[in-house]
Amino acid sequence: MLPLALLVLAVAATAQPPADDARPSLVAGRVVDASTGRPIAGAVITPAGSAVVLPPTATVPPRVMTNANGQFVIRGLHTGAVVLTATKGGYVNATYGQRRPGGTAQPVPIAPDTRVTDLELRMWKFGAIGGTVLDESGDPVVGTRVASYMRTWIAGRRRYTAGPTAVTDDRGVYRIAGLTPGDYVIAVPSTQTAVPSEVMDSFFGGTPLGDAKR
């Protein structure tokens, strides 16, 4: 019976979780408006990375929401690194470590039994551009499409990326919303159509097109 008892003890020792898993860590911080520095309540924080270990029945990482002071706490992290993403309506999605909208995220290293409590995520509000489209006579242009192009830099060269569009109303007024903060060019795309010369002569000369053909 002694060998059997030794075998049971060996199996029990093997089934124990690693030492790091027995000492989960946490991160805490707050989410603020990048322009005003005010806390943002109701922002959803999603962790990702090697420090996030999902329970067997979970399919998505656990999420937390900031309180009235913009504060959040994420528990149960393991050794590795975690990337924190903040989302909220009216704001551009942000990750920890970004210095500008769409910038590079900074992973947070996690060691066993770690308490990181001074993180700050900055979020930028979406912007909007509005105006009026007039024709050469100063009359409003109704129902025309207005496009936005965001200025970006790729390999040291300036490029313009197509963004949201809008359509002018019965006053020729447009408003393009949902713009990521940055520099934009606003344009009214147009299509040039070739017109036969006899049609132009008839139009500007006042000669009926049927008479011009006889």
Side-chain angles (χ1 to χ4, degrees):
M1 299 297 295
L2 182 59
L4 178 59
L6 293 177
L7 177 61
V8 172
L9 291 176
V11 172
T14 304
Q16 290 181 355
D20 288 349
D21 292 343
R23 298 179 302 184
S25 303
L26 68 81
V27 295
R30 66 174 190 154
V31 180
V32 300
D33 187 293
S35 300
T36 64
R38 295 179 179 177
I40 300 177
V44 177
I45 311 299
T46 303
S50 59
V52 180
V53 178
L54 299 181
T57 58
T59 58
V60 296
R63 301 175 180 179
V64 299
M65 183 176 292
T66 57
N67 62 15
N69 296 320
Q71 298 170 326
F72 66 90
V73 178
I74 297 178
R75 306 176 186 275
L77 297 176
H78 299 264
T79 302
V82 61
V83 176
L84 303 177
T85 301
T87 58
K88 182 178 173 62
Y91 286 85
V92 182
N93 291 354
T95 56
Y96 173 72
Q98 284 183 336
R99 296 184 179 181
R100 57 180 177 80
T104 303
Q106 179 181 342
V108 181
I110 302 297
D113 198 19
T114 299
R115 301 292 186 271
V116 182
T117 60
D118 58 350
L119 301 180
E120 182 177 89
L121 280 75
R122 298 189 298 167
M123 300 189 74
W124 287 262
K125 280 187 176 181
F126 283 114
I129 297 176
T132 305
V133 179
L134 305 175
D135 61 17
E136 62 274 9
S137 301
D139 296 324
V141 179
V142 179
T144 191
R145 186 171 68 92
V146 182
S148 64
Y149 299 88
M150 183 178 184
R151 186 178 69 179
T152 58
W153 295 89
I154 301 177
R157 294 187 177 184
R158 183 170 54 190
R159 295 288 186 269
Y160 290 92
T161 305
T165 64
V167 177
T168 58
D169 61 14
D170 57 352
R171 303 166 297 167
V173 175
Y174 70 89
R175 184 177 186 273
I176 304 176
L179 298 175
T180 301
D183 297 327
Y184 286 84
V185 170
I186 303 300
V188 178
S190 62
T191 302
Q192 294 183 349
T193 304
V195 180
S197 58
E198 63 267 19
V199 175
M200 295 297 294
D201 293 340
S202 175
F203 180 80
F204 288 105
T207 304
L209 185 59
D211 295 342
K213 291 183 177 180
R214 288 197 291 267

